[in-house]
Amino acid sequence: MRREGAQAGDRSPAAEPYGGAVTAVAARPPVRGAAIGLLGQTLAVLERQLALYRRVWRGSAFSSLILPVLFLLSMGIGVGGYVGELEGVPYLQWIVPGLLSMSAFEIALVESTYPVMSDFKWTRAYHAIAVTPVGVAGILQGWLLYLILRVVFAVAVFLVVAAAFGGLVSAWAVVTPLVCLVLTVAVASPVTALAAAVDNDSYFALLFRFAMVPSSLFAGVFFPVERLPAAAQAAARATPLWHAVELNRAATLGIPPAWPVAAHLAYLAVWGVAGCLLAAVVFRRRLYG
């Protein structure tokens, strides 16, 4: 017996008879990207993320926008009144690029954990996307572009507040959103790969405790890493956050960074490229493997 409306000679999987009944067999998904180009895939995923964020943005407004400003007021002005100057500049001006970088770092890291695991394990949204012409590259690029927009907006708000309190010295401060963009990719891509690979969210507690918190405290945000023991200095300089802090501090204060600018950017690029490649492998295995 054939499916109603099936034409004679129809040999599609949905029309195959089996024991007198029609067996609905899902056809193999189309070749990824065959229907729309990579740009279209990326924008489709970005549109989905922005539509979701429009419903929940209030929940992240405090941590993304208000909390960094409170840090600026309490640490830069409050503690800065006792510290005075650090490395020849007022503590407020010295700490602004660190807080700026830390805000971008924490948004990129935190937002790449539970949301990614949720779309694999609980909502299975990525599996739904995978049966459309959107492929792994489109998913990852759309996701990273969404995080970049989140970070750049938060950084722009922070810069306006910092400028109002006299926390910016050099006109080069306008390049700090670009530095935070590179930092976002360097952090979010490997964390996204981790979140896609694990099925237990206890890994995230370890990530927050042993990666995010130590980096935020000891990567040059609140005090120079040169005041740490030699081994701790090496560990701090191995974090992407330290490189972003150095670049942003050089931009906001108009001073040369610890390393050449190209070296800092190259180090962040290595993290970003390696993370994207790893995330692509994990996504492909979870979705199609």
Side-chain angles (χ1 to χ4, degrees), residues 256-282:
W259 294 5
V261 172
H264 284 296
L265 292 176
Y267 187 82
L268 293 174
V270 168
W271 275 82
V273 172
C276 287
L277 293 176
L278 182 59
V281 171
V282 176

Side-chain angles (χ1 to χ4, degrees), residues 48-88:
R48 180 238 179 202
Q49 294 299 144
L50 292 176
L52 292 175
Y53 186 66
R54 186 173 58 186
R55 301 179 182 180
V56 300
W57 67 270
R58 294 175 183 83
S60 65
F62 180 79
S63 60
S64 300
L65 302 175
I66 301 176
L67 189 60
V69 173
L70 293 179
F71 259 114
L72 173 66
L73 298 178
S74 62
M75 298 296 294
I77 297 179
V79 177
Y82 294 97
V83 175
E85 292 189 351
L86 187 60
E87 296 185 336

Side-chain angles (χ1 to χ4, degrees), residues 57 207 239:
W57 67 270
L207 180 67
T239 65

